[in-house]
Amino acid sequence: MKKHIVTCVKCGRQFDANEGGAYYPESRRYVCKRCVDKQKSEQADREKARKAEERKAEADERERVTGMRQSKAAMLVKIVVGVLFLFAAVSLAVQGNISSFVCGLVIGGALVAWGLVPYLKAKSGRR
Ligand SMILES: [Zn+2]
C-alpha cells in the first residue's frame, strides 16, 4: 500500500495513515493510533470512575433507606453460605473431625455475622 504520511493533530507526530489511527473528515485531520488508544483508555477510566461513583451513590441511598450499605440479596447470600458452613462443620464434628469443625464454625459464624450484624444494627438504630 502506498504510504500516506500525515500529521497527528494531537501530538504532532508524523505517521502513515495506513497504520491505523483516526481520520476526522469534518476537519480533515488525522489522529495517530497512539493518541486514539490514549483517548480510549482515558474514556474507559472515566467510565470506570463514573460506575464506581454510581455504585457508591447506590450504597449511600441504600444506607439512607435501610440503614445498611449491603443489599438485601448480598446479606442473604452471606447468611445462607454461612449457615451451609455451619451445617458442614456440624457434620464434621459428628465424624469426629474437631479441627475442621472449629474451622467451619469460625468461617460460617463470620459469614453470618458479616451479613447479619449490619442488618441488626440498622434495625436497632432505627428504633
Ligand atoms: Zn498522536
Side-chain angles (χ1 to χ4, degrees):
M1 218 189 285
K2 195 174 164 289
K3 277 204 170 191
H4 181 203
I5 301 299
V6 293
T7 306
C8 171
V9 69
K10 295 246 158 127
C11 66
R13 198 168 69 93
Q14 297 220 320
F15 68 103
D16 186 350
N18 297 320
E19 278 172 11
Y23 175 58
Y24 299 107
E26 64 275 16
S27 56
R28 299 168 93 193
R29 288 185 183 187
Y30 290 88
V31 175
C32 71
K33 202 166 174 297
R34 214 162 50 180
C35 288
V36 170
D37 286 349
K38 212 170 97 184
Q39 209 176 0
K40 268 191 198 149
S41 75
E42 273 169 13
Q43 234 163 33
D45 282 351
R46 265 201 301 275
E47 184 70 7
K48 232 186 274 168
R50 199 179 58 78
K51 285 243 174 80
E53 195 58 41
E54 251 171 36
R55 265 197 304 275
K56 194 178 163 292
E58 258 170 41
D60 284 346
E61 172 67 12
R62 200 152 51 218
E63 193 171 26
R64 203 176 58 74
V65 174
T66 68
M68 10 175 230
R69 294 192 76 78
Q70 67 180 342
S71 66
K72 277 254 160 67
M75 179 186 93
L76 285 176
V77 167
K78 286 169 196 166
I79 292 170
V80 166
V81 174
V83 168
L84 287 177
F85 263 100
L86 292 177
F87 272 119
V90 168
S91 74
L92 285 166
V94 170
Q95 289 164 31
N97 194 341
I98 296 305
S99 62
S100 298
F101 163 69
V102 171
C103 194
L105 205 65
V106 168
I107 295 172
L111 276 166
V112 170
W114 188 23
L116 213 53
V117 168
Y119 174 69
L120 295 177
K121 263 193 197 157
K123 267 200 141 174
S124 64
R126 275 207 283 178
R127 245 177 243 140

